[in-house]
Amino acid sequence: HWRLAGDGGRYRDALFGAARAAMSGGDMRGARDQFRELMRLLESRGERGHIWGETMLSLGSLSWRFGEFGLAEDTYRSACESGELSGTELARAHRGLAHLIFMLGRYAEAVHHYREALQCSTETRDPSGVAKALVGLSRVHTRQGDPGAGSSVRSRLEAMLPELDPEIAGRVLLHLAEAAQRVGDMPMRRAHLDSARARFEEGDDRQGLSDTMLEIAGVIMLPAENWPDRMAESGRILREALEIKRSLGDRHGTAEIFRYLGHLEQQLGDLEASEQYLFQSLRTHEALGAPFHIGAVHNALGITKMWMAQHVEAERHFVEAERLFDSVGDALAVSHACLLYTSD
């Protein structure tokens, strides 16, 4: 209506409201289309300010969600370097960029942007922003095998839990579960995951909930979880999480669930099904370009091929996994791939 009436200001405001409503309502494709249209309008009017900043951050997040990593990086970087953002918005831009390049294995650059985000959130006294930046820094320390630095950050995060909103507390707990897994403390991992799931359900955060369901399914598959029908329960949880990921348009999350389903079929002895799921995961992760996750799928394929007595193929996958883990400096994952390879 306002566009046809030639009232650009009211059209801008209406489009911004519609785009945000679509995003909060889970219509990610609709939100992306509307934010793109809004950005074209803002550029044609030469406008900057709050709406421009929110649009850039939303487009960065949506591009990442749909696997457009190059576009997401360009968008976040432009927002960081624009000089138009400050405070909470600038923290979000640095944090979004840091999360993305962390996943792409560029740890030193990720640390720089996490620290910038931490400084902005500290200055604005934003505990949620501080917690998110600290989780990012702790994940880098965890991946790089720096237990001292990582432990210090995690202690700070644990102390912050009572003051955080449910969704943010869930993210902190999900990371603490990852850190517990890295040091082999599986009971603590499960405790953190159960707490994270409760927080995400309380906050109605479907993205966080599906991430947590994925990890809980992985725990249930562990040999220590020796109870009847645990594999069936794990499969049920994974397929429920898969439906959520698909509804959110989360390609990365969908690829990870295929990897876990491949592992589930390994445990059930259906190696052909395992191979099919893992190749689905590999194709998507290779399209997205995240080296650690590509390496994790190659590692899983190596195990499946080993159990199929296809030793040459198994070796090829283990060597590729080792190369990719080494490229992102993950010594623990490298040693895991090497152990599996040499155990044959």
Side-chain angles (χ1 to χ4, degrees):
H1 170 76
W2 297 118
R3 178 176 60 179
L4 295 175
D7 191 332
R10 290 188 175 181
Y11 176 52
R12 174 203 61 209
D13 294 343
L15 190 55
F16 182 50
R20 296 182 72 182
M23 196 164 179
S24 63
D27 180 9
M28 299 304 170
R29 289 177 176 82
R32 180 176 58 173
D33 291 343
Q34 289 170 322
F35 274 119
R36 284 176 173 173
E37 184 177 350
L38 177 57
M39 181 54 70
R40 287 191 292 270
L41 176 64
L42 293 172
E43 294 294 341
S44 71
R45 291 166 60 89
E47 290 190 19
R48 290 292 187 267
H50 171 67
I51 292 180
W52 181 87
E54 286 292 327
T55 300
M56 289 289 282
L57 293 171
S58 297
L59 285 172
S61 174
L62 289 163
S63 296
W64 185 358
R65 179 76 58 87
F66 286 101
E68 300 167 331
F69 289 169
L71 180 57
E73 180 175 351
D74 289 344
T75 303
Y76 279 130
R77 197 175 297 280
S78 295
C80 289
E81 297 173 355
S82 67
E84 299 290 338
L85 305 186
S86 62
T88 301
E89 285 186 339
L90 184 57
R92 288 170 57 198
H94 279 294
R95 205 166 54 237
L97 182 55
H99 289 336
L100 178 61
I101 58 184
F102 166 82
M103 190 173 67
L104 296 175
R106 288 149 48 193
Y107 294 156
E109 190 179 355
V111 166
H112 166 73
H113 288 287
Y114 280 131
R115 286 176 175 164
E116 290 290 323
L118 180 59
Q119 180 177 341
C120 291
S121 295
T122 301
E123 290 173 352
T124 56
R125 299 182 180 181
D126 174 15
S128 294
V130 168
K132 291 175 183 178
L134 288 174
V135 165
L137 286 170
S138 179
R139 292 190 73 197
V140 175
H141 295 318
T142 300
R143 228 16 111 69
Q144 291 184 315
D146 187 348
S151 177
S152 175
V153 173
R154 287 190 290 277
S155 295
R156 187 175 171 187
L157 283 167
E158 288 176 337
M160 294 178 65
L161 279 171
E163 65 182 289
L164 299 175
D165 292 337
E167 300 94 324
I168 308 305
R171 285 289 166 191
V172 170
L173 288 161
L174 191 56
H175 168 64
L176 293 175
E178 177 191 7
Q181 177 189 12
R182 282 266 166 165
V183 298
D185 190 343
M186 295 308 169
M188 183 59 71
R189 179 192 181 196
R190 181 59 192 266
H192 285 318
L193 287 173
D194 288 340
S195 295
R197 180 170 188 168
R199 298 297 181 92
F200 287 131
E201 288 176 338
E202 179 186 350
D204 196 25
D205 183 339
R206 297 172 70 233
Q207 182 74 30
L209 177 61
S210 57
D211 289 341
T212 307
M213 292 168 67
L214 173 63
E215 297 302 324
I216 289 174
V219 170
I220 293 173
M221 280 188 271
L222 293 173
E225 296 284 324
N226 187 20
W227 46 275
D229 300 324
R230 64 187 178 89
M231 292 301 183
E233 176 65 7
S234 180
R236 184 194 67 77
I237 293 172
L238 286 172
R239 289 177 175 86
E240 184 180 345
L242 180 61
E243 290 306 310
I244 297 174
K245 292 294 186 189
R246 282 175 164 165
S247 72
L248 295 172
D250 182 356
R251 294 180 66 200
H252 170 75
T254 299
E256 279 295 276
I257 291 178
F258 283 139
R259 179 166 71 89
Y260 275 63
L261 285 168
H263 180 61
L264 175 65
E265 296 298 342
Q266 281 177 359
Q267 301 300 308
L268 293 172
D270 191 340
L271 299 180
E272 290 186 358
S274 172
E275 185 179 31
Q276 290 173 1
Y277 278 126
L278 291 172
F279 274 121
Q280 281 184 278
S281 177
L282 184 62
R283 283 192 295 271
T284 303
H285 275 313
E286 285 183 333
L288 298 177
F292 177 85
H293 296 92
I294 298 170
V297 181
H298 275 294
N299 201 54
L301 277 166
I303 298 170
T304 294
K305 291 292 188 180
M306 188 169 63
W307 287 1
M308 296 172 83
Q310 297 178 11
H311 299 296
V312 173
E313 284 295 298
E315 178 182 355
R316 182 178 68 82
H317 287 296
F318 285 137
V319 168
E320 184 64 8
E322 180 185 352
R323 183 189 70 80
L324 287 160
F325 291 146
D326 188 58
S327 74
V328 297
D330 193 327
L332 179 61
V334 168
S335 67
H336 182 57
C338 289
L339 178 63
L340 286 168
Y341 172 49
T342 56
S343 68
D344 184 45

